[in-house]
Short mmCIF file of all heavy atoms in Angstrom, two decimals:
data_model
loop_
_atom_site.label_atom_id
_atom_site.label_comp_id
_atom_site.label_asym_id
_atom_site.label_seq_id
_atom_site.Cartn_x
_atom_site.Cartn_y
_atom_site.Cartn_z
N MET A 125 -9.21 -8.59 5.81
CA MET A 125 -8.56 -8.73 7.08
C MET A 125 -7.41 -9.73 6.95
O MET A 125 -6.45 -9.63 7.72
CB MET A 125 -9.58 -9.22 8.14
CG MET A 125 -9.04 -9.31 9.52
SD MET A 125 -8.40 -7.80 10.20
CE MET A 125 -9.91 -6.93 10.54
N ASN A 126 -7.45 -10.59 5.99
CA ASN A 126 -6.38 -11.58 5.86
C ASN A 126 -5.03 -10.95 5.55
O ASN A 126 -3.97 -11.43 6.00
CB ASN A 126 -6.68 -12.63 4.80
CG ASN A 126 -7.74 -13.61 5.32
OD1 ASN A 126 -7.91 -13.82 6.51
ND2 ASN A 126 -8.48 -14.19 4.39
N ARG A 127 -5.04 -9.83 4.81
CA ARG A 127 -3.80 -9.13 4.54
C ARG A 127 -3.20 -8.53 5.85
O ARG A 127 -1.95 -8.57 6.05
CB ARG A 127 -3.99 -8.00 3.52
CG ARG A 127 -4.25 -8.55 2.12
CD ARG A 127 -4.50 -7.46 1.15
NE ARG A 127 -3.29 -6.61 1.01
CZ ARG A 127 -3.29 -5.44 0.41
NH1 ARG A 127 -4.41 -4.97 -0.12
NH2 ARG A 127 -2.17 -4.74 0.33
N ILE A 128 -4.06 -8.03 6.67
CA ILE A 128 -3.57 -7.54 7.99
C ILE A 128 -3.05 -8.66 8.84
O ILE A 128 -2.00 -8.52 9.47
CB ILE A 128 -4.71 -6.72 8.68
CG1 ILE A 128 -5.03 -5.44 7.92
CG2 ILE A 128 -4.33 -6.41 10.12
CD1 ILE A 128 -6.19 -4.65 8.46
N ALA A 129 -3.80 -9.74 8.88
CA ALA A 129 -3.40 -10.90 9.62
C ALA A 129 -1.98 -11.42 9.21
O ALA A 129 -1.14 -11.66 10.03
CB ALA A 129 -4.36 -12.06 9.52
N GLU A 130 -1.78 -11.53 7.89
CA GLU A 130 -0.53 -11.94 7.37
C GLU A 130 0.59 -10.92 7.68
O GLU A 130 1.70 -11.32 8.07
CB GLU A 130 -0.59 -12.12 5.85
CG GLU A 130 -1.43 -13.31 5.45
CD GLU A 130 -1.71 -13.41 3.93
OE1 GLU A 130 -0.91 -12.76 3.16
OE2 GLU A 130 -2.67 -13.99 3.48
N PHE A 131 0.30 -9.65 7.59
CA PHE A 131 1.26 -8.60 7.86
C PHE A 131 1.73 -8.68 9.31
O PHE A 131 2.89 -8.66 9.64
CB PHE A 131 0.65 -7.21 7.58
CG PHE A 131 1.60 -6.11 7.92
CD1 PHE A 131 2.53 -5.66 7.05
CD2 PHE A 131 1.51 -5.46 9.19
CE1 PHE A 131 3.41 -4.62 7.35
CE2 PHE A 131 2.36 -4.43 9.52
CZ PHE A 131 3.32 -4.01 8.56
N ILE A 132 0.75 -8.79 10.25
CA ILE A 132 1.07 -8.84 11.63
C ILE A 132 1.94 -10.08 11.95
O ILE A 132 2.98 -10.02 12.59
CB ILE A 132 -0.19 -8.85 12.54
CG1 ILE A 132 -0.99 -7.54 12.42
CG2 ILE A 132 0.11 -9.13 14.04
CD1 ILE A 132 -0.26 -6.31 12.94
N LYS A 133 1.47 -11.22 11.53
CA LYS A 133 2.18 -12.49 11.75
C LYS A 133 3.59 -12.48 11.19
O LYS A 133 4.55 -12.84 11.90
CB LYS A 133 1.38 -13.67 11.17
CG LYS A 133 1.94 -14.99 11.55
CD LYS A 133 1.05 -16.11 11.06
CE LYS A 133 1.48 -17.46 11.60
NZ LYS A 133 0.52 -18.49 11.23
N THR A 134 3.72 -12.07 9.97
CA THR A 134 5.05 -12.00 9.30
C THR A 134 6.02 -11.06 10.02
O THR A 134 7.15 -11.40 10.33
CB THR A 134 4.92 -11.57 7.83
OG1 THR A 134 4.07 -12.53 7.13
CG2 THR A 134 6.24 -11.50 7.15
N ASN A 135 5.53 -9.85 10.37
CA ASN A 135 6.38 -8.86 11.01
C ASN A 135 6.69 -9.24 12.44
O ASN A 135 7.78 -8.99 12.92
CB ASN A 135 5.74 -7.46 10.91
CG ASN A 135 5.92 -6.89 9.52
OD1 ASN A 135 6.99 -6.38 9.24
ND2 ASN A 135 4.94 -7.06 8.65
N ARG A 136 5.71 -9.87 13.11
CA ARG A 136 5.98 -10.27 14.50
C ARG A 136 7.08 -11.34 14.49
O ARG A 136 8.02 -11.23 15.28
CB ARG A 136 4.68 -10.85 15.12
CG ARG A 136 4.91 -11.49 16.48
CD ARG A 136 3.74 -12.21 17.02
NE ARG A 136 3.24 -13.32 16.23
CZ ARG A 136 3.78 -14.52 16.09
NH1 ARG A 136 4.89 -14.83 16.75
NH2 ARG A 136 3.22 -15.43 15.39
N LYS A 137 6.97 -12.27 13.59
CA LYS A 137 8.01 -13.35 13.53
C LYS A 137 9.37 -12.76 13.16
O LYS A 137 10.38 -13.24 13.63
CB LYS A 137 7.55 -14.46 12.57
CG LYS A 137 6.46 -15.33 13.10
CD LYS A 137 6.10 -16.45 12.14
CE LYS A 137 5.17 -17.42 12.78
NZ LYS A 137 4.97 -18.60 11.93
N SER A 138 9.35 -11.82 12.21
CA SER A 138 10.65 -11.29 11.73
C SER A 138 11.40 -10.48 12.79
O SER A 138 12.59 -10.37 12.72
CB SER A 138 10.45 -10.41 10.46
OG SER A 138 9.81 -9.19 10.77
N THR A 139 10.66 -10.03 13.80
CA THR A 139 11.25 -9.30 14.92
C THR A 139 11.60 -10.26 16.05
O THR A 139 12.11 -9.84 17.07
CB THR A 139 10.33 -8.21 15.45
OG1 THR A 139 9.11 -8.74 15.87
CG2 THR A 139 10.12 -7.14 14.41
N GLY A 140 11.28 -11.56 15.85
CA GLY A 140 11.62 -12.58 16.84
C GLY A 140 10.65 -12.62 18.04
O GLY A 140 11.01 -13.17 19.07
N LEU A 141 9.52 -12.01 17.91
CA LEU A 141 8.51 -12.03 19.01
C LEU A 141 7.58 -13.23 18.92
O LEU A 141 7.09 -13.54 17.82
CB LEU A 141 7.69 -10.75 19.02
CG LEU A 141 8.42 -9.44 19.28
CD1 LEU A 141 7.48 -8.30 19.07
CD2 LEU A 141 9.00 -9.39 20.66
N THR A 142 7.31 -13.83 20.09
CA THR A 142 6.26 -14.87 20.12
C THR A 142 4.97 -14.12 20.20
O THR A 142 4.91 -12.90 20.45
CB THR A 142 6.42 -15.74 21.38
OG1 THR A 142 6.25 -14.92 22.53
CG2 THR A 142 7.77 -16.45 21.40
N GLN A 143 3.86 -14.83 20.07
CA GLN A 143 2.56 -14.17 20.22
C GLN A 143 2.40 -13.63 21.64
O GLN A 143 1.88 -12.55 21.84
CB GLN A 143 1.42 -15.18 19.94
CG GLN A 143 1.28 -15.48 18.47
CD GLN A 143 0.10 -16.46 18.23
OE1 GLN A 143 -0.20 -17.30 19.07
NE2 GLN A 143 -0.48 -16.33 17.06
N GLU A 144 2.97 -14.36 22.58
CA GLU A 144 2.89 -13.90 23.98
C GLU A 144 3.67 -12.60 24.22
O GLU A 144 3.18 -11.66 24.85
CB GLU A 144 3.41 -15.00 24.93
CG GLU A 144 2.56 -16.20 25.00
CD GLU A 144 2.84 -17.23 23.89
OE1 GLU A 144 3.71 -17.02 23.04
OE2 GLU A 144 2.14 -18.29 23.87
N ASP A 145 4.90 -12.56 23.60
CA ASP A 145 5.68 -11.35 23.72
C ASP A 145 4.99 -10.17 23.09
O ASP A 145 5.02 -9.05 23.57
CB ASP A 145 7.07 -11.57 23.05
CG ASP A 145 7.94 -12.53 23.75
OD1 ASP A 145 7.79 -12.76 24.94
OD2 ASP A 145 8.87 -13.14 23.04
N PHE A 146 4.47 -10.42 21.87
CA PHE A 146 3.81 -9.36 21.15
C PHE A 146 2.60 -8.79 21.91
O PHE A 146 2.39 -7.61 22.02
CB PHE A 146 3.35 -9.83 19.74
CG PHE A 146 2.69 -8.81 18.92
CD1 PHE A 146 3.51 -7.90 18.19
CD2 PHE A 146 1.35 -8.68 18.82
CE1 PHE A 146 2.96 -6.89 17.42
CE2 PHE A 146 0.76 -7.70 18.02
CZ PHE A 146 1.57 -6.82 17.33
N ALA A 147 1.81 -9.71 22.51
CA ALA A 147 0.67 -9.34 23.30
C ALA A 147 1.07 -8.46 24.45
O ALA A 147 0.50 -7.40 24.72
CB ALA A 147 -0.12 -10.52 23.76
N MET A 148 2.13 -8.89 25.15
CA MET A 148 2.58 -8.13 26.30
C MET A 148 3.13 -6.75 25.93
O MET A 148 2.74 -5.76 26.53
CB MET A 148 3.71 -8.92 27.04
CG MET A 148 4.15 -8.26 28.32
SD MET A 148 5.42 -9.21 29.17
CE MET A 148 4.64 -10.76 29.38
N ARG A 149 3.94 -6.71 24.90
CA ARG A 149 4.52 -5.40 24.45
C ARG A 149 3.48 -4.36 23.90
O ARG A 149 3.67 -3.19 24.06
CB ARG A 149 5.64 -5.62 23.45
CG ARG A 149 6.84 -6.27 24.04
CD ARG A 149 7.97 -6.34 23.08
NE ARG A 149 9.12 -7.02 23.64
CZ ARG A 149 10.28 -7.05 23.13
NH1 ARG A 149 10.53 -6.39 22.01
NH2 ARG A 149 11.28 -7.70 23.67
N SER A 150 2.46 -4.96 23.24
CA SER A 150 1.47 -4.11 22.60
C SER A 150 0.33 -3.75 23.61
O SER A 150 -0.41 -2.78 23.33
CB SER A 150 0.86 -4.76 21.40
OG SER A 150 0.12 -5.93 21.77
N GLY A 151 0.22 -4.47 24.69
CA GLY A 151 -0.84 -4.22 25.62
C GLY A 151 -2.14 -4.91 25.24
O GLY A 151 -3.20 -4.61 25.80
N LEU A 152 -2.03 -5.80 24.28
CA LEU A 152 -3.24 -6.55 23.78
C LEU A 152 -3.25 -7.92 24.46
O LEU A 152 -2.23 -8.40 24.93
CB LEU A 152 -3.17 -6.74 22.27
CG LEU A 152 -3.22 -5.46 21.44
CD1 LEU A 152 -2.83 -5.70 20.00
CD2 LEU A 152 -4.58 -4.77 21.56
N GLY A 153 -4.44 -8.48 24.48
CA GLY A 153 -4.56 -9.81 25.05
C GLY A 153 -4.04 -10.92 24.07
O GLY A 153 -4.07 -10.76 22.87
N LEU A 154 -3.56 -11.96 24.64
CA LEU A 154 -2.97 -13.07 23.84
C LEU A 154 -4.07 -13.65 22.95
O LEU A 154 -3.85 -13.94 21.76
CB LEU A 154 -2.39 -14.15 24.72
CG LEU A 154 -1.83 -15.39 24.00
CD1 LEU A 154 -0.82 -15.07 22.99
CD2 LEU A 154 -1.31 -16.38 25.06
N ARG A 155 -5.30 -13.80 23.48
CA ARG A 155 -6.39 -14.32 22.66
C ARG A 155 -6.67 -13.43 21.47
O ARG A 155 -6.86 -13.93 20.32
CB ARG A 155 -7.64 -14.49 23.51
CG ARG A 155 -8.82 -15.03 22.79
CD ARG A 155 -10.00 -15.22 23.70
NE ARG A 155 -11.15 -15.72 23.01
CZ ARG A 155 -12.28 -15.97 23.52
NH1 ARG A 155 -12.45 -15.87 24.86
NH2 ARG A 155 -13.28 -16.42 22.81
N PHE A 156 -6.66 -12.14 21.65
CA PHE A 156 -6.85 -11.21 20.56
C PHE A 156 -5.78 -11.36 19.48
O PHE A 156 -6.09 -11.43 18.29
CB PHE A 156 -6.91 -9.75 20.97
CG PHE A 156 -7.00 -8.80 19.86
CD1 PHE A 156 -8.28 -8.54 19.32
CD2 PHE A 156 -5.92 -8.20 19.28
CE1 PHE A 156 -8.42 -7.70 18.20
CE2 PHE A 156 -6.02 -7.34 18.18
CZ PHE A 156 -7.29 -7.11 17.66
N VAL A 157 -4.54 -11.45 19.89
CA VAL A 157 -3.43 -11.63 18.93
C VAL A 157 -3.60 -12.90 18.13
O VAL A 157 -3.43 -12.89 16.93
CB VAL A 157 -2.05 -11.57 19.67
CG1 VAL A 157 -0.92 -11.93 18.71
CG2 VAL A 157 -1.84 -10.21 20.29
N ARG A 158 -3.92 -13.94 18.78
CA ARG A 158 -4.16 -15.26 18.12
C ARG A 158 -5.31 -15.16 17.09
O ARG A 158 -5.20 -15.57 15.97
CB ARG A 158 -4.44 -16.37 19.14
CG ARG A 158 -3.20 -16.77 19.88
CD ARG A 158 -3.45 -17.86 20.86
NE ARG A 158 -2.25 -18.31 21.51
CZ ARG A 158 -2.17 -18.87 22.66
NH1 ARG A 158 -3.28 -19.19 23.35
NH2 ARG A 158 -1.02 -19.23 23.13
N GLU A 159 -6.43 -14.56 17.54
CA GLU A 159 -7.55 -14.39 16.65
C GLU A 159 -7.25 -13.49 15.46
O GLU A 159 -7.66 -13.74 14.32
CB GLU A 159 -8.81 -13.90 17.37
CG GLU A 159 -9.35 -14.95 18.35
CD GLU A 159 -10.47 -14.42 19.22
OE1 GLU A 159 -10.72 -13.21 19.25
OE2 GLU A 159 -11.16 -15.27 19.89
N LEU A 160 -6.51 -12.42 15.71
CA LEU A 160 -6.09 -11.51 14.64
C LEU A 160 -5.28 -12.24 13.63
O LEU A 160 -5.52 -12.15 12.41
CB LEU A 160 -5.34 -10.31 15.24
CG LEU A 160 -4.76 -9.32 14.25
CD1 LEU A 160 -5.84 -8.65 13.41
CD2 LEU A 160 -3.95 -8.29 15.03
N GLU A 161 -4.31 -12.99 14.06
CA GLU A 161 -3.41 -13.71 13.14
C GLU A 161 -4.10 -14.80 12.40
O GLU A 161 -3.68 -15.23 11.33
CB GLU A 161 -2.16 -14.26 13.87
CG GLU A 161 -1.19 -13.16 14.27
CD GLU A 161 0.09 -13.70 14.82
OE1 GLU A 161 0.33 -14.89 14.84
OE2 GLU A 161 0.95 -12.82 15.18
N GLN A 162 -5.21 -15.29 12.94
CA GLN A 162 -5.99 -16.37 12.27
C GLN A 162 -6.95 -15.77 11.32
O GLN A 162 -7.68 -16.46 10.59
CB GLN A 162 -6.72 -17.20 13.32
CG GLN A 162 -5.80 -18.08 14.12
CD GLN A 162 -6.49 -18.76 15.31
OE1 GLN A 162 -7.70 -18.55 15.58
NE2 GLN A 162 -5.74 -19.53 16.07
N GLY A 163 -7.05 -14.45 11.24
CA GLY A 163 -7.91 -13.76 10.33
C GLY A 163 -9.41 -13.66 10.71
O GLY A 163 -10.24 -13.47 9.88
N LYS A 164 -9.65 -13.75 12.03
CA LYS A 164 -11.01 -13.59 12.50
C LYS A 164 -11.60 -12.25 12.01
O LYS A 164 -10.94 -11.22 12.15
CB LYS A 164 -11.08 -13.66 14.05
CG LYS A 164 -12.51 -13.62 14.58
CD LYS A 164 -12.51 -13.78 16.10
CE LYS A 164 -13.93 -13.65 16.58
NZ LYS A 164 -13.99 -13.68 18.04
N GLU A 165 -12.76 -12.29 11.45
CA GLU A 165 -13.31 -11.12 10.82
C GLU A 165 -13.98 -10.16 11.81
O GLU A 165 -14.29 -9.02 11.43
CB GLU A 165 -14.28 -11.50 9.70
CG GLU A 165 -13.58 -12.18 8.57
CD GLU A 165 -14.53 -12.53 7.40
OE1 GLU A 165 -15.66 -11.96 7.37
OE2 GLU A 165 -14.10 -13.23 6.50
N THR A 166 -14.22 -10.54 13.00
CA THR A 166 -14.99 -9.73 13.96
C THR A 166 -14.09 -9.06 15.05
O THR A 166 -14.61 -8.73 16.07
CB THR A 166 -16.08 -10.52 14.60
OG1 THR A 166 -15.55 -11.68 15.31
CG2 THR A 166 -17.14 -11.02 13.60
N VAL A 167 -12.83 -8.91 14.73
CA VAL A 167 -11.96 -8.27 15.74
C VAL A 167 -12.23 -6.77 15.73
O VAL A 167 -12.66 -6.18 14.76
CB VAL A 167 -10.43 -8.52 15.46
CG1 VAL A 167 -10.12 -10.01 15.61
CG2 VAL A 167 -10.03 -8.04 14.03
N ARG A 168 -11.94 -6.11 16.82
CA ARG A 168 -12.13 -4.69 16.99
C ARG A 168 -11.04 -3.89 16.25
O ARG A 168 -9.85 -4.17 16.46
CB ARG A 168 -12.14 -4.29 18.47
CG ARG A 168 -13.40 -4.77 19.16
CD ARG A 168 -13.42 -4.39 20.61
NE ARG A 168 -12.86 -3.04 20.89
CZ ARG A 168 -12.65 -2.62 22.15
NH1 ARG A 168 -12.92 -3.38 23.18
NH2 ARG A 168 -12.12 -1.43 22.31
N MET A 169 -11.47 -2.97 15.43
CA MET A 169 -10.49 -2.20 14.61
C MET A 169 -9.64 -1.34 15.49
O MET A 169 -8.46 -1.08 15.10
CB MET A 169 -11.23 -1.35 13.58
CG MET A 169 -11.81 -2.21 12.44
SD MET A 169 -10.63 -3.25 11.66
CE MET A 169 -9.47 -2.10 10.92
N ASP A 170 -10.06 -0.82 16.64
CA ASP A 170 -9.21 -0.01 17.47
C ASP A 170 -8.01 -0.89 17.96
O ASP A 170 -6.84 -0.45 18.00
CB ASP A 170 -9.95 0.63 18.63
CG ASP A 170 -10.60 -0.40 19.57
OD1 ASP A 170 -11.06 -1.44 19.12
OD2 ASP A 170 -10.72 -0.06 20.79
N LYS A 171 -8.26 -2.16 18.25
CA LYS A 171 -7.22 -3.01 18.69
C LYS A 171 -6.30 -3.46 17.50
O LYS A 171 -5.13 -3.62 17.69
CB LYS A 171 -7.82 -4.27 19.39
CG LYS A 171 -8.42 -3.99 20.75
CD LYS A 171 -8.84 -5.24 21.38
CE LYS A 171 -9.34 -4.94 22.83
NZ LYS A 171 -9.61 -6.20 23.55
N VAL A 172 -6.91 -3.57 16.34
CA VAL A 172 -6.10 -3.89 15.13
C VAL A 172 -5.08 -2.76 14.95
O VAL A 172 -3.92 -3.01 14.67
CB VAL A 172 -7.00 -4.02 13.92
CG1 VAL A 172 -6.18 -4.11 12.65
CG2 VAL A 172 -7.90 -5.26 13.99
N ASN A 173 -5.54 -1.51 15.14
CA ASN A 173 -4.62 -0.38 14.96
C ASN A 173 -3.55 -0.34 16.06
O ASN A 173 -2.42 0.12 15.76
CB ASN A 173 -5.37 0.93 14.86
CG ASN A 173 -5.86 1.17 13.46
OD1 ASN A 173 -5.17 0.88 12.49
ND2 ASN A 173 -7.06 1.71 13.32
N VAL A 174 -3.87 -0.82 17.20
CA VAL A 174 -2.83 -0.90 18.26
C VAL A 174 -1.78 -1.89 17.83
O VAL A 174 -0.53 -1.65 17.91
CB VAL A 174 -3.44 -1.32 19.62
CG1 VAL A 174 -2.35 -1.72 20.62
CG2 VAL A 174 -4.30 -0.28 20.19
N ALA A 175 -2.19 -3.04 17.27
CA ALA A 175 -1.20 -4.04 16.76
C ALA A 175 -0.42 -3.52 15.62
O ALA A 175 0.80 -3.64 15.56
CB ALA A 175 -1.97 -5.32 16.37
N LEU A 176 -1.08 -2.85 14.66
CA LEU A 176 -0.36 -2.30 13.53
C LEU A 176 0.61 -1.24 13.92
O LEU A 176 1.68 -1.03 13.32
CB LEU A 176 -1.37 -1.79 12.48
CG LEU A 176 -2.13 -2.84 11.74
CD1 LEU A 176 -3.27 -2.17 10.92
CD2 LEU A 176 -1.21 -3.60 10.80
N ALA A 177 0.25 -0.43 14.97
CA ALA A 177 1.14 0.64 15.40
C ALA A 177 2.48 0.11 15.90
O ALA A 177 3.49 0.84 15.85
CB ALA A 177 0.45 1.41 16.52
N MET A 178 2.53 -1.13 16.28
CA MET A 178 3.82 -1.74 16.66
C MET A 178 4.82 -1.72 15.53
O MET A 178 6.03 -1.81 15.73
CB MET A 178 3.60 -3.18 17.19
CG MET A 178 2.83 -3.26 18.46
SD MET A 178 3.77 -2.82 19.93
CE MET A 178 4.89 -4.20 19.97
N PHE A 179 4.31 -1.64 14.31
CA PHE A 179 5.13 -1.65 13.14
C PHE A 179 5.03 -0.36 12.34
O PHE A 179 5.36 -0.28 11.13
CB PHE A 179 4.82 -2.84 12.22
CG PHE A 179 4.84 -4.14 12.92
CD1 PHE A 179 3.68 -4.82 13.23
CD2 PHE A 179 6.07 -4.65 13.36
CE1 PHE A 179 3.71 -6.06 13.88
CE2 PHE A 179 6.06 -5.87 14.07
CZ PHE A 179 4.92 -6.56 14.34
N GLY A 180 4.57 0.71 12.97
CA GLY A 180 4.46 2.03 12.38
C GLY A 180 3.38 2.09 11.35
O GLY A 180 3.44 2.92 10.39
N MET A 181 2.34 1.30 11.42
CA MET A 181 1.24 1.26 10.42
C MET A 181 -0.11 1.48 11.12
O MET A 181 -0.19 1.37 12.31
CB MET A 181 1.28 -0.11 9.68
CG MET A 181 2.55 -0.51 9.07
SD MET A 181 2.99 0.48 7.69
CE MET A 181 1.93 -0.24 6.46
N GLU A 182 -1.13 1.76 10.28
CA GLU A 182 -2.45 1.83 10.73
C GLU A 182 -3.44 1.44 9.60
O GLU A 182 -3.08 1.55 8.42
CB GLU A 182 -2.86 3.24 11.23
CG GLU A 182 -2.92 4.28 10.17
CD GLU A 182 -3.35 5.70 10.70
OE1 GLU A 182 -3.71 5.77 11.89
OE2 GLU A 182 -3.25 6.61 9.91
N ALA A 183 -4.58 0.90 9.97
CA ALA A 183 -5.59 0.53 9.01
C ALA A 183 -6.39 1.83 8.63
O ALA A 183 -6.78 2.59 9.50
CB ALA A 183 -6.56 -0.52 9.59
N ILE A 184 -6.61 2.01 7.29
CA ILE A 184 -7.37 3.15 6.88
C ILE A 184 -8.42 2.62 5.87
O ILE A 184 -8.25 1.53 5.28
CB ILE A 184 -6.48 4.17 6.18
CG1 ILE A 184 -5.69 3.59 5.00
CG2 ILE A 184 -5.52 4.82 7.18
CD1 ILE A 184 -4.99 4.58 4.15
N PRO A 185 -9.51 3.36 5.71
CA PRO A 185 -10.54 2.88 4.80
C PRO A 185 -9.99 2.83 3.36
O PRO A 185 -9.18 3.66 2.93
CB PRO A 185 -11.65 3.99 4.88
CG PRO A 185 -11.37 4.66 6.18
CD PRO A 185 -9.90 4.56 6.42
N GLY A 186 -10.50 1.83 2.63
CA GLY A 186 -10.11 1.67 1.30
C GLY A 186 -11.10 0.77 0.58
O GLY A 186 -11.96 0.15 1.23
N LYS A 187 -10.97 0.66 -0.73
CA LYS A 187 -11.89 -0.23 -1.45
C LYS A 187 -11.54 -1.68 -1.17
O LYS A 187 -10.37 -2.04 -1.10
CB LYS A 187 -11.74 0.04 -2.95
CG LYS A 187 -12.31 1.35 -3.36
CD LYS A 187 -12.27 1.54 -4.88
CE LYS A 187 -12.89 2.85 -5.27
NZ LYS A 187 -12.91 3.05 -6.70
N LYS A 188 -12.59 -2.45 -1.05
CA LYS A 188 -12.39 -3.88 -0.80
C LYS A 188 -11.95 -4.54 -2.08
O LYS A 188 -12.45 -4.29 -3.15
CB LYS A 188 -13.69 -4.47 -0.32
CG LYS A 188 -13.56 -5.95 0.15
CD LYS A 188 -14.81 -6.40 0.82
CE LYS A 188 -14.59 -7.82 1.24
NZ LYS A 188 -15.62 -8.31 2.14
N GLU A 189 -10.93 -5.37 -1.99
CA GLU A 189 -10.42 -6.08 -3.16
C GLU A 189 -11.43 -7.03 -3.67
O GLU A 189 -12.22 -7.64 -3.00
CB GLU A 189 -9.16 -6.89 -2.75
CG GLU A 189 -7.99 -6.00 -2.41
CD GLU A 189 -6.74 -6.84 -2.04
OE1 GLU A 189 -6.75 -8.06 -2.22
OE2 GLU A 189 -5.84 -6.19 -1.53
N GLY A 190 -11.42 -7.19 -5.01
CA GLY A 190 -12.30 -8.16 -5.60
C GLY A 190 -13.69 -7.67 -5.97
O GLY A 190 -14.48 -8.39 -6.54
N LEU A 191 -14.05 -6.42 -5.59
CA LEU A 191 -15.35 -5.92 -5.88
C LEU A 191 -15.34 -5.26 -7.24
O LEU A 191 -14.43 -4.57 -7.63
CB LEU A 191 -15.77 -4.86 -4.87
CG LEU A 191 -16.11 -5.36 -3.49
CD1 LEU A 191 -16.54 -4.13 -2.59
CD2 LEU A 191 -17.22 -6.34 -3.48
N THR A 192 -16.39 -5.47 -7.98
CA THR A 192 -16.59 -4.84 -9.25
C THR A 192 -17.67 -3.84 -9.09
O THR A 192 -18.42 -3.83 -8.13
CB THR A 192 -16.95 -5.84 -10.36
OG1 THR A 192 -18.22 -6.47 -10.02
CG2 THR A 192 -15.90 -6.94 -10.51
N SER A 193 -17.92 -3.02 -10.07
CA SER A 193 -18.98 -2.02 -10.00
C SER A 193 -20.34 -2.63 -9.88
O SER A 193 -21.23 -2.12 -9.32
CB SER A 193 -18.91 -1.07 -11.22
OG SER A 193 -19.05 -1.78 -12.40
N ALA A 194 -20.47 -3.89 -10.36
CA ALA A 194 -21.75 -4.57 -10.34
C ALA A 194 -22.07 -5.09 -8.91
O ALA A 194 -23.23 -5.33 -8.57
CB ALA A 194 -21.76 -5.72 -11.30
N THR A 195 -21.01 -5.30 -8.06
CA THR A 195 -21.23 -5.80 -6.74
C THR A 195 -21.18 -4.79 -5.68
O THR A 195 -21.37 -5.09 -4.49
CB THR A 195 -20.19 -6.92 -6.41
OG1 THR A 195 -18.92 -6.37 -6.49
CG2 THR A 195 -20.33 -8.11 -7.31
N LYS A 196 -21.00 -3.53 -6.03
CA LYS A 196 -20.93 -2.47 -5.07
C LYS A 196 -22.30 -2.01 -4.62
O LYS A 196 -23.24 -2.07 -5.31
CB LYS A 196 -20.20 -1.28 -5.60
CG LYS A 196 -18.71 -1.56 -5.75
CD LYS A 196 -18.01 -0.33 -6.26
CE LYS A 196 -16.56 -0.63 -6.53
NZ LYS A 196 -15.84 0.46 -7.12
#
């Protein structure tokens, strides 16, 4: 989730949006945007995809980084 948090924060800032502006334009709550950017692990994925859609992206299933075959 930290990669998504970093992506959202970096892209939000590069477009000149405050967290408040981003929340308003995306239709998400300010609290959610703050928690997402802080890397909270229990955020709802449907809302994560709403945030990512602001930048033409979406979260898709993939292998978790750092896992070896012994830890799977």
